[in-house]
Amino acid sequence: MTEISEEAPDDAQLNAISKAVSAGTPVDWAAEECRAGTAEARATIRELRVIAGVSALHRSLPAIESADPSAEGRRGVEQGAPMWGPLRLLEQIGRGSFGDVFRAWDTRLDREVALKLLRAHPAGGSGVASIVLGEGRLLARVRHPNVVTVHGADCVDGVVGLWMEFIHGCTLEELLLQQGPLSAPEALAVGLDVCRALSVVHHAGMLHRDIKSQNVMREAGGRLVLMDFGTGREISEGSSSRGTEISGTPLYLAPELFVGRPATVQSDLYSVGVLLYHLVSGSYPVQGTSFAELADAHARGVRKLLRDARPELPAAFLDVVERALEPDPEKRFTSTGALERALAKVMIGVHAAGAHRTALEVPSSMHGPRWRRGRKFKVVAAAACIVTAALGYAVALKVSGTKHMFGTAARNLSSGPPDARSPAPDLQTRRIRLPDAMYTGRPSPDGRLLSYVTLEGNLALFDLESGETRRLTNKGDSAESAESQMAISPDSRWLAYTWAALDGAFELRVIQTDGKSPRVLLRRNDVDFPMPVAWSGDGSHLLVVLEMKRKDIEIALVSLDSGRVDVIRSLRAPVPRQVSLSPDGAFVVYDHPATAESADRDIFIARVSDGHEERLVTHPANDLFPFWSAAGDEIIFSSDRAGSLGLWALPVSSGRAAGGPVALHRDLGRFYPLGLTEAGTLYYMLQTGMVDVYTAPLVSPRSDRVGIPEAVSSTFVGSNNSSSWSPDARFLAYVSVRGAVDTDPFSRVLAIRNVVDGTERLLHPPLAFFIAPRWSHDSRTILVRGTDLDGRAGSFLVDAVTGAVHGTMLATSVRGQTAVGNVAWSPGGDRLWFDRPGVGLFERATVGGTPKKILDYAAEGLASIVPQPEGFRVSPNGRALAFYGTDKNTGPGVTVLKVKFFEDPSRELVRLTRPDVFTSLAWAADGTGLLYSRRANQSATSLWWISTGGGEPRQAGLTLNGLRGLDVRSDGRALTFTAGAPKYELWKMDNLLSRPPAPNPEPQTRNPEP
């Protein structure tokens, strides 16, 4: 027993108990709890009792070799690769009272995970084991891109383990220490992601209870992840006797927790407020060096307002943070959703003021130099905090001021598992400022030149060293233009490219890089689109991909001297994303769907001599964009096999795999490789802008005011577009891109959201591409625009239950030649209205019938209707038509919005002059007004309302980047729309291949025959 006088103050008693626990001295817990003078002291004693039990368990267990943190021990783990169930332990990355955390490899699913292991013990360990398994059950409820994903929990040979995704990146605290306080828009973007994550956590019935900058990770690709739920408890426990437990980091704790009140949703929201305060100021609203000092500061109401620390921040942002930090929980936001909406409103206001991008678009700073400034990203395990580690920290600080011992573990990429190569120490990535371009081609083999197509359609070169540009063609005002495919010869003297000729045919051409001697290399009637992809080493042949008019694909070599075409392989559609020729010219590698029904691609290899093909890399993931290394001993390719799109390498020898794929960089976000230079530098395009579907309440009877928008989907964030309400107001349909390449067949799904209960089902129409869903009048079928698997473009009817395509409602010519533009249902569902560009609007019976012109563009004074799904809209009662287009008399710089009641002449409502243009249009539910979106510049599109009777238009309270796709629900209570724009940046990654790959004893490959 500890020797504590009954007259000793609580602090002295707690300090004595703490010393006893540290020394392993037995404590009479019942007696000590009786002696405590306050409820707070008794609660702390109960916490110390838990810590003592875990400490005793830890001391009684022998050390295991795999837990040795020394360099020698780590080498043993990597070489011996001990197993725990199906997981191979690769490296210890964290250590705590309950056990250890390892970086591990899941041998069944072929992915890297973070494994939290609890050491087994015959006595007293079952309670701790139940804690770990309970934590796993709680976290398994949560599925959200901003929440760390728990893969499983189990007990193997008496050892309990919990494994989850392994996060590559750094914490917000690390970014703050390195780069200083964030701006308001950056903090808002973080706050929105944290709120989205926390909403899912609360919806699952949990509290996080330890939100802080150390527990929010940012992956290299930009995703924010909320982690470390070791102190999480079910919300229902808040009213239990355990509700007074102090959990979490004291500087982030809400005031009510210091006086023994239970944790609630509002206490989590207080922590979010502290996080935002800390991110923009680097300090905390309430400060203290001990638990007692913090409790006293809260009791006296001593706190520093954010407006005093950062008075230059937007007032609306300051107001939101201060409300989240209200000492009275009832004065804070009522829910995480309410806080999220408030942050979104502030972000929209900041954007409307012209200062920054909106939160609905990923800020470029989250992907650009500010977040990448010369740092080598650390690898951090999401599970590195042992169960109740934060609780242990809170108690230790409360009792003796001890610093946190078991925070999130971080390490540099200095050694890798057998199936992952660590980046070279001098690996560097940086953004390159490229001139405005329509298309970007491949770099020259020496990395000096980059080809691109100007916005006017001319071919040009960009000198990556000097920054100079050189235009190679001069098309003038003609309709001919350079296309997206370009390749520079090994000696950088020639450039091969695709050219759209005046007669509409596509030609394969070559030109000297000084702009001289252009000539046509290939023009054939049976070739629809020729694409140059690579040169032979001696520059005598060009590797090309030919889209044939008979709809198949040919990979071929074209002689530069004779123009002779030698076909290597014939493939079915779709086109490979990348074809690469080996340095010795003996093999080509390419990506292609493994089956006609698959959206995922595999890597294939074919011999140039006889075209013999084999699948080189076989894996259920999406493997694409293969390149040969300059030495010819590796294939570099992109893959999402580790959960996100990254770079992998496959060692090869004589056309055969010499091992399994190894990881070079596991997360680059949505990126598109352009080419690999001889020096091992990768050039790639990084997508930084997101497109998503949103809904917003309509807060006035006339639908002229819009509330705070919310993203429709919490999964595949930034990959959704084109939405519409069903006529019965029960469902919302939208298109979601799930594949790595959104133009591949089966990469898109049609999501159907139930408005009543929030459930969602996914349909998989057998179409190569589709957009713009439009419901039939009975809500049973959906009309979409797109392309079928045979390459026919048109409007297709999709069953709203099964996803089956019943047929083509209105077909256009093959290969997307536009004969029919926008299509809409009549309210009764018996007719279709459609646009013939340059001619007019027509109606036709839904099933067959002769089209009848109902609107003549020339008679309306229009050159055409703007070619968008919302270029015209039919009124809810079917008696009027609203449309906008280019004014025929004033030229392309003026667009007009008109309304026509079918028995009366049309009436002009709005006229815009460039740079203002219309982007979409929708009727109010009662038919008395129109909502339309109006773009003033590339980053600001605002929502407007105007009465169909005329009058002055007025803004409807929404300004976003890329606002379009408006659709009002039939009950007039909600609006859906698409917002955002895909933006691309040019990046380079130096020294990618400066180290040899590690061998893999279990390759996932199938080798070609010799």
Side-chain angles (χ1 to χ4, degrees):
M1 293 180 59
T2 55
E3 298 180 0
I4 302 177
S5 169
E6 293 186 7
E7 290 77 30
D10 285 341
D11 286 348
Q13 181 187 18
L14 295 176
N15 277 319
I17 296 174
S18 177
K19 292 177 182 178
V21 171
S22 299
T25 305
V27 178
D28 186 339
W29 295 105
E32 297 299 345
E33 190 169 343
C34 290
R35 291 175 180 174
T38 64
E40 182 180 359
R42 288 190 292 273
T44 302
I45 290 172
R46 289 193 294 271
E47 295 164 354
L48 286 170
R49 185 173 186 176
V50 174
I51 299 300
V54 175
S55 179
L57 173 63
H58 180 72
R59 284 193 298 270
S60 66
L61 294 174
I64 58 175
E65 182 179 354
S66 61
D68 185 356
S70 66
E72 182 179 355
R74 292 190 180 189
R75 285 195 297 272
V77 168
E78 291 178 358
Q79 293 173 0
M83 302 291 293
W84 180 86
L87 305 180
R88 179 183 293 123
L89 306 185
L90 300 175
E91 181 182 9
Q92 180 192 350
I93 55 174
R95 191 166 193 167
S97 298
F98 288 145
D100 298 278
V101 180
F102 295 89
R103 183 167 57 92
W105 190 257
D106 189 331
T107 58
R108 293 180 301 188
L109 298 180
D110 199 20
R111 63 184 175 188
E112 189 178 33
V113 297
L115 173 64
K116 184 187 301 185
L117 284 184
L118 169 69
R119 296 193 187 90
H121 191 261
S126 61
V128 178
S130 65
I131 292 175
V132 176
L133 293 175
E135 179 188 356
R137 284 191 293 269
L138 289 173
L139 290 177
R141 303 176 187 175
V142 180
R143 286 292 184 272
H144 191 273
N146 297 119
V147 179
V148 63
T149 300
V150 171
H151 298 311
D154 203 354
C155 183
V156 177
D157 296 329
V159 179
V160 175
L162 175 73
W163 65 99
M164 58 190 69
E165 68 174 312
F166 197 94
I167 305 298
H168 294 257
C170 53
T171 69
L172 293 185
E173 183 65 20
E174 290 175 308
L175 288 172
L176 189 65
L177 291 174
Q178 181 193 12
Q179 302 169 0
L182 306 185
S183 67
E186 289 171 329
L188 282 165
V190 171
L192 286 167
D193 277 349
V194 170
C195 283
R196 290 169 187 140
L198 200 55
S199 290
V200 179
V201 173
H202 290 168
H203 182 71
M206 292 177 59
L207 297 173
H208 188 283
R209 308 214 306 179
D210 197 19
I211 297 163
K212 58 184 177 181
S213 56
Q214 294 90 338
N215 282 347
V216 182
M217 290 283 301
R218 182 189 180 274
E219 282 187 323
R223 179 172 70 117
L224 291 180
V225 185
L226 183 61
M227 311 186 312
D228 284 358
F229 290 74
T231 61
R233 295 288 185 272
E234 295 186 75
I235 291 176
S236 60
E237 292 183 3
S239 59
S240 70
S241 60
R242 297 176 58 193
T244 57
E245 291 181 357
I246 296 291
S247 299
T249 305
L251 288 168
Y252 287 81
L253 290 181
E256 63 269 18
L257 301 182
F258 286 84
V259 295
R261 293 174 62 181
T264 63
V265 168
Q266 278 64 41
S267 59
D268 268 356
L269 298 185
Y270 181 92
S271 298
V272 176
V274 177
L275 174 65
L276 294 174
Y277 187 110
H278 183 57
L279 291 177
V280 298
S281 69
S283 59
Y284 300 93
V286 179
Q287 300 188 32
T289 59
S290 68
F291 190 92
E293 286 185 10
L294 287 169
D296 179 66
H298 279 293
R300 293 187 293 113
V302 178
R303 69 182 179 119
K304 185 174 183 179
L305 299 177
L306 183 57
R307 64 183 70 254
D308 294 331
R310 291 287 304 274
E312 77 281 5
L313 294 177
F317 175 75
L318 297 172
D319 291 341
V320 170
V321 175
E322 295 300 351
R323 181 177 173 185
L325 293 173
E326 279 284 350
D328 184 353
E330 295 184 359
K331 293 182 180 180
R332 296 175 204 150
F333 293 94
T334 56
S335 67
T336 312
L339 174 56
E340 180 185 351
R341 288 191 294 272
L343 291 172
K345 186 175 182 180
V346 174
M347 182 65 91
I348 291 171
V350 169
H351 176 275
H356 299 279
R357 291 181 173 88
T358 173
L360 302 181
E361 172 195 350
V362 174
S364 60
S365 59
M366 298 288 284
H367 297 276
R370 174 179 174 82
W371 296 86
R372 296 176 178 262
R373 191 181 302 158
R375 71 174 284 114
K376 298 178 178 63
F377 286 103
K378 295 181 179 180
V379 174
V380 182
C385 187
I386 305 299
V387 178
T388 70
L391 171 61
Y393 167 68
V395 174
L397 177 59
K398 182 176 181 178
V399 174
S400 58
T402 305
K403 292 185 177 180
H404 187 23
M405 297 173 62
F406 307 126
T408 303
R411 68 178 184 89
N412 286 318
L413 283 168
S414 57
S415 61
D419 51 0
R421 179 200 305 174
S422 301
D426 52 353
L427 177 67
Q428 296 179 351
T429 61
R430 68 180 180 91
R431 182 183 175 187
I432 297 175
R433 300 289 182 178
L434 184 69
D436 290 340
M438 186 183 305
Y439 305 113
T440 305
R442 296 171 176 82
S444 59
D446 61 6
R448 175 70 183 267
L449 301 174
L450 190 72
S451 56
Y452 70 99
V453 177
T454 68
L455 298 181
E456 296 78 24
N458 281 305
L459 190 68
L461 287 173
F462 177 64
D463 191 312
L464 292 162
E465 294 183 3
S466 67
E468 297 177 352
T469 61
R470 183 188 314 155
R471 192 180 66 180
L472 305 183
T473 61
N474 184 12
K475 61 181 285 296
D477 295 330
S478 69
E480 57 184 347
S481 66
E483 291 297 318
S484 58
Q485 303 297 320
M486 296 153 275
I488 302 175
S489 64
D491 59 6
S492 297
R493 294 181 56 199
W494 289 90
L495 174 64
Y497 59 101
T498 305
W499 186 261
L502 287 175
D503 61 358
F506 293 101
E507 303 171 342
L508 178 65
R509 294 186 175 189
V510 293
I511 190 172
Q512 291 184 5
T513 51
D514 59 4
K516 299 178 180 179
S517 306
R519 66 185 177 97
V520 177
L521 186 63
L522 177 67
R523 178 186 168 112
R524 285 184 3 194
N525 292 333
D526 61 337
V527 176
D528 189 55
F529 195 81
M531 294 173 281
V533 292
W535 293 70
S536 62
D538 59 3
S540 64
H541 288 77
L542 192 64
L543 182 68
V544 299
V545 174
L546 306 176
E547 279 192 77
M548 310 301 291
K549 289 187 177 178
R550 61 180 182 267
K551 303 172 189 175
D552 60 342
I553 311 297
E554 290 185 351
I555 300 174
L557 282 174
V558 180
S559 170
L560 268 293
D561 291 332
S562 66
R564 174 180 170 177
V565 178
D566 294 313
V567 177
I568 301 172
R569 286 293 302 172
S570 292
L571 308 172
R572 67 181 184 279
V575 178
R577 302 302 297 182
Q578 172 60 33
V579 182
S580 182
L581 182 67
S582 62
D584 60 6
F587 298 92
V588 293
V589 293
Y590 48 91
D591 56 11
H592 202 250
T595 67
E597 296 77 25
S598 174
D600 293 332
R601 295 173 179 244
D602 285 334
I603 306 298
F604 292 81
I605 190 169
R607 278 196 299 263
V608 172
S609 59
D610 58 9
H612 178 77
E613 177 194 71
E614 287 286 343
R615 197 180 308 177
L616 187 62
V617 179
T618 303
H619 195 278
N622 207 350
D623 300 324
L624 64 168
F625 294 114
F627 290 92
W628 286 91
S629 66
D633 58 351
E634 286 185 294
I635 303 294
I636 311 302
F637 64 97
S638 307
S639 178
D640 60 2
R641 61 181 55 210
S644 56
L645 203 58
L647 280 173
W648 294 68
L650 178 72
V652 291
S653 177
S654 302
R656 300 173 61 91
V662 295
L664 301 178
H665 198 304
R666 293 187 182 273
D667 184 12
L668 284 170
R670 279 189 178 266
F671 76 104
Y672 303 91
L674 297 177
L676 190 65
T677 69
E678 296 169 343
T681 295
L682 177 74
Y683 288 85
Y684 59 98
M685 301 300 293
L686 180 66
Q687 181 177 335
T688 59
M690 295 198 307
V691 177
D692 225 326
V693 169
Y694 299 86
T695 61
L698 292 171
V699 296
S700 79
R702 295 185 302 181
S703 302
D704 61 345
R705 295 296 297 174
V706 178
I708 299 300
E710 293 184 358
V712 168
S713 177
S714 60
T715 58
F716 291 89
V717 176
S719 300
N720 310 297
N721 62 79
S722 300
S723 58
S724 75
W725 303 105
S726 62
D728 59 11
R730 294 177 55 203
F731 301 100
L732 177 72
Y734 66 95
V735 178
S736 183
V737 179
R738 302 298 171 92
V741 181
D742 64 358
T743 56
D744 273 359
F746 308 107
S747 65
R748 294 182 166 224
V749 300
L750 187 60
I752 310 297
R753 169 68 58 87
N754 188 311
V755 177
V756 178
D757 59 17
T759 58
E760 190 171 273
R761 65 179 187 275
L762 301 180
L763 306 180
H764 301 268
L767 297 171
F769 177 85
F770 60 91
I771 58 171
R774 290 290 178 261
W775 292 83
S776 63
H777 72 291
D778 58 5
S779 300
R780 295 181 179 178
T781 53
I782 301 172
L783 192 69
V784 300
R785 294 176 59 198
T787 307
D788 66 13
L789 298 177
D790 292 323
R792 292 185 295 265
S795 295
F796 302 89
L797 198 60
V798 178
D799 191 292
V801 176
T802 65
V805 175
H806 293 319
T808 305
M809 299 299 294
L810 288 169
T812 63
S813 57
V814 179
R815 300 296 181 186
Q817 298 297 318
T818 304
V820 172
N822 310 318
V823 182
W825 295 95
S826 67
D830 59 337
R831 290 171 295 163
L832 293 174
W833 282 288
F834 58 93
D835 161 41
R836 290 196 186 280
V839 180
L841 286 179
F842 293 77
E843 73 169 7
R844 195 201 73 179
T846 303
V847 180
T850 302
K852 172 187 175 183
K853 184 184 287 188
I854 60 175
L855 187 73
D856 185 271
Y857 290 157
E860 293 292 338
L862 299 179
S864 67
I865 287 183
V866 178
Q868 295 172 348
E870 301 80 28
F872 72 90
R873 299 299 290 268
V874 183
S875 66
N877 61 11
R879 298 177 181 175
L881 187 71
F883 54 96
Y884 58 87
T886 303
D887 190 290
K888 182 179 180 180
N889 299 318
T890 58
V894 177
T895 52
V896 293
L897 169 62
K898 292 188 174 186
V899 63
K900 177 179 175 60
F901 293 89
F902 288 117
E903 63 273 14
D904 299 320
S906 62
R907 182 166 59 249
E908 181 178 312
L909 298 180
V910 183
R911 176 175 289 259
L912 299 179
T913 303
R914 282 185 177 176
D916 284 9
V917 294
F918 298 100
T919 63
S920 62
L921 174 68
W923 283 85
D926 61 3
T928 63
L930 293 168
L931 283 169
Y932 64 91
S933 50
R934 169 179 172 178
R935 188 180 69 218
N937 53 59
Q938 292 300 317
S939 61
T941 304
S942 54
L943 185 66
W944 293 72
W945 181 91
I946 189 169
S947 169
T948 54
E952 289 297 320
R954 58 176 175 272
Q955 286 192 300
L958 192 62
T959 299
L960 300 171
N961 175 44
L963 176 63
R964 60 196 182 277
L966 304 175
D967 193 43
V968 176
R969 205 164 70 188
S970 60
D971 59 8
R973 296 181 179 180
L975 173 74
T976 186
F977 58 88
T978 301
K983 289 182 171 58
Y984 299 92
E985 298 173 352
L986 176 63
W987 284 75
K988 64 177 294 191
M989 183 182 296
D990 291 321
N991 307 313
L992 179 64
L993 303 181
S994 59
R995 299 177 69 184
N1000 188 339
E1002 300 177 4
Q1004 296 284 330
T1005 58
R1006 185 166 59 204
N1007 298 320
E1009 297 296 329

